[in-house]
Structure formats: structure tokens, C-alpha cells
Amino acid sequence: MRIILTGAQGTGKTSVMNALPDRYKQFGIKEVIRNMSHQDPSIKINQNSNNESQDKFFFEYLYLFSKYPEYISDRGLLDVCAYTLWLVDMGKCQYYTYEKQLYILQEWINTHPDEIYIYFPIYFPVVDDGYRDTDENNRKDVDRYIQEILNKCGVQYHTISNSPVSNRVEEIIRLCEWKNNAYINDPLSSC
């Protein structure tokens, strides 16, 4: 089981991770970027990020996903790559940083076809937690880049519904069970 929850900030990924049953929480990789930025003040996030910070995030996920045979993560390589592209457009990162990340991401996807991507679209306004970027235009841009990279890399993904957290958790559990039991027909029609 290798599951990546992908989407712009404030779309409910971590809330869903926190609501997963314990049998799934043991595989959880969450709040990596937040934890890294708290531990190392030189690491910048959101609009203040740069090539070095984006690469640190990217390679930390690469390390974690390589280290653990099974995981559920509230972000991943694809998210970091999308944020890097957003920062390129803002003039905060160089295009080669994005190109390098995209190349490694594509190689990762090609060599890990069992990884499941669950895309969290923007369904509701972002909540200000004093940490994440609350600018809705920025969030829409990041969301667009995530979709662009999902399509560019040819990733098959499931789009999470606009429903309460408990229903979203059930969607993910059904997807996990389907994948673990290797059903031929996907019970989730949007995969």
C-alpha cells in the first residue's frame, strides 16, 4: 500500500489522515514540510521558499518513500514539484529546479506503478492556521499545477469527493481494500 494524498493547501488532506483508523495511521507520513520548517529556520515555505528549500522538501519525500515499503502520505513528490513550478512563475525558483524534480518524479512514477494518487480538489475556502498561505489565487494556481503535473506524468488518480471527512476516509479505505485485494474491477468509478 503506497498512497499519496495530493492537492493544494487547505483541501483536507491532513484532516483525512488524522481521521484514518489506527490500522492505516501506522503507515502515515504527514506534516513533513511543516516539521522540517519548524526544525530548521533556514527552510522557507510558501511564497518565501527557494530552490534550496524546495529541493530539501523533494528529497526528504524521496527518502521517506524509499525507506518505507508501505505508506499513506498527505503530500508527495508531485506536490513539491507543483509548488516549485508555482515558485518558478513567481520568480522565486529557477526552472532547472522544477525540471530536475519533474524528471525524478516521472522516474519514480514509472518504477512505482502500484502507488495510488488521491487528488483533493478545492471544495471550500482555506482556513488560516497561521502557517499555510491563505491567498485563494495562489491556491488556485497550485491546484492548476498539480492537475497539470498529474496529467503530464500520466498518473491515474482518484478524485476525492466533496463530502464530510468521515465519508472521505471511507473512500480511501475502500480504495486501499480494493488495491490490497487486487480486484479486477475498481469499485470507485473515478479512478
Side-chain angles (χ1 to χ4, degrees):
M1 172 180 57
R2 296 176 178 202
I3 298 175
I4 306 294
L5 309 183
T6 187
Q9 65 273 25
T11 54
K13 299 177 301 297
T14 304
S15 295
V16 166
M17 291 276 297
N18 290 336
L20 287 171
D22 289 341
R23 70 182 188 270
Y24 294 104
K25 282 183 183 175
Q26 66 180 325
F27 302 108
I29 297 174
K30 65 179 187 172
E31 301 285 6
V32 170
I33 293 171
R34 188 177 297 228
N35 292 337
M36 288 177 69
S37 66
H38 284 308
Q39 293 170 0
D40 182 351
S42 72
I43 294 177
K44 306 298 180 198
I45 61 165
N46 299 326
Q47 301 95 323
N48 297 318
S49 194
N50 54 35
N51 293 310
E52 294 78 24
S53 294
Q54 291 304 112
D55 272 348
K56 285 180 182 179
F57 299 143
F58 189 86
F59 288 105
E60 181 67 14
Y61 278 110
L62 191 60
Y63 164 73
L64 292 169
F65 295 164
S66 298
K67 179 179 177 181
Y68 298 110
E70 294 187 281
Y71 49 80
I72 300 175
S73 182
D74 67 353
R75 284 211 175 279
L77 301 171
L78 193 142
D79 297 75
V80 177
C81 194
Y83 275 88
T84 301
L85 183 55
W86 172 65
L87 289 161
V88 166
D89 280 355
M90 292 179 56
K92 304 284 179 109
C93 282
Q94 296 176 339
Y95 191 74
Y96 81 86
T97 302
Y98 163 71
E99 280 185 314
K100 171 182 61 184
Q101 291 176 1
L102 184 63
Y103 177 81
I104 295 168
L105 170 63
Q106 186 65 67
E107 289 298 310
W108 180 267
I109 290 167
N110 291 341
T111 57
H112 296 82
D114 61 330
E115 201 167 60
I116 299 170
Y117 286 81
I118 302 175
Y119 166 62
F120 282 61
I122 297 171
Y123 288 126
F124 42 82
V126 69
V127 175
D128 187 359
D129 65 356
Y131 179 81
R132 63 174 60 110
D133 181 3
T134 58
D135 185 308
E136 289 294 341
N137 290 324
N138 291 344
R139 188 162 79 141
K140 288 176 187 173
D141 288 343
V142 170
D143 180 70
R144 182 170 39 89
Y145 290 133
I146 287 171
Q147 291 179 60
E148 180 182 311
I149 294 170
L150 281 165
N151 293 324
K152 184 180 285 189
C153 292
V155 175
Q156 296 293 314
Y157 61 92
H158 170 76
T159 300
I160 202 79
S161 66
N162 182 12
S163 60
V165 170
S166 59
N167 291 9
R168 289 174 159 204
V169 166
E170 287 303 315
E171 282 182 66
I172 291 170
I173 290 170
R174 283 197 322 269
L175 188 58
C176 290
E177 289 172 357
W178 166 78
K179 188 69 172 179
N180 286 338
N181 292 325
Y183 290 135
I184 293 171
N185 295 316
D186 186 347
L188 300 172
S189 61
S190 59
C191 279

